[in-house]
Amino acid sequence: MSKIGIEPVRKLQLIEATLKSIEEYGFQGTTIVTISRLAGMSSGIISHYFGGKQGVIEAAVRHLLDELKNGLLLRIEQASHPSPMDRLMMIVETNFSGFQQSSRASTTWLSFWGQATHDPALARLQAVNNKRLESNLRYSFCQLLADKQKAIEAARMTAAMIDGMWLRSTLSPPQEHGFQESERLCKEFIHLQVDRFGGDK
């Protein structure tokens, strides 16, 4: 395999090893040594590809963000001309998908949220995540509600509902049942907002 082909594979392996390290040791316990050991590579390759621990952790968080984005795009692509309400349901389903329920993803998200309050680079990624979720929700709500301000408010409330219910599900066993119930409640919340602010489903 050429060097061009090897590099993306090695980067992904290091990102996956970073997620596993955070799952096992947390943000603070994750080091270049723990990542390189789990990846089965030398510690120097992390600095070569990512510039150090901070770089590979940021790459791991971006990987989670990409999983969310690509998961939604795939659902939309597989649907046949989804309606605005369909898109809203897909956003909820993506945020409560199996990958987002996994221990590796949930542990990293929890650690990321806690660390973002102290780390400007991670705070920027958190802002991107928040903006993307609200923007996706707002796009569909604006098609359902005549009042743009009400659509913006509905998007903000729904984003908070999704984040809050995901967090509640992650911290409350049994997780699988909790995620299913949270997904149902978020979907119901969206329908209530459309009914409340006036619009056609």
Side-chain angles (χ1 to χ4, degrees), residues 6-18 41 50 63 67:
I6 290 173
E7 182 173 331
V9 173
R10 284 182 173 171
K11 283 184 175 181
L12 181 58
Q13 289 173 336
L14 288 168
I15 287 171
E16 290 175 344
T18 301
M41 302 181 195
F50 299 102
H63 176 72
E67 286 287 337

Side-chain angles (χ1 to χ4, degrees), residues 18-120:
T18 301
L19 294 173
K20 184 170 179 58
S21 179
I22 293 172
E23 179 185 16
E24 293 187 11
Y25 307 110
F27 255 58
Q28 299 303 323
T30 290
T31 65
I32 289 179
V33 173
T34 63
I35 295 169
S36 60
R37 185 177 68 245
L38 288 168
M41 302 181 195
S42 67
S43 57
I45 201 168
I46 295 176
S47 297
H48 174 69
Y49 286 141
F50 299 102
K53 172 185 171 180
Q54 180 71 14
V56 72
I57 283 180
E58 289 177 22
V61 173
R62 289 192 185 94
H63 176 72
L64 293 181
L65 293 173
D66 286 342
E67 286 287 337
L68 270 176
K69 179 181 72 175
N70 294 334
L72 177 59
L73 290 175
L74 181 61
R75 288 174 188 272
I76 293 173
E77 182 180 316
Q78 291 177 339
S80 178
H81 305 293
S83 67
M85 182 59 78
D86 289 335
R87 286 175 60 94
L88 288 170
M89 297 299 104
M90 289 175 190
I91 292 171
V92 174
E93 290 164 4
T94 302
N95 278 271
F96 290 97
S97 67
F99 176 77
Q100 299 304 325
Q101 296 180 29
S102 69
S103 175
R104 192 164 301 180
S106 60
T107 301
T108 302
W109 278 122
L110 290 173
S111 300
F112 165 57
W113 283 343
Q115 194 67 19
T117 60
H118 309 289
D119 187 317

Side-chain angles (χ1 to χ4, degrees), residues 169-183:
S169 299
T170 300
L171 299 176
S172 303
Q175 289 186 340
E176 183 177 354
H177 175 72
F179 278 112
Q180 291 173 351
E181 181 67 4
S182 292
E183 179 179 324

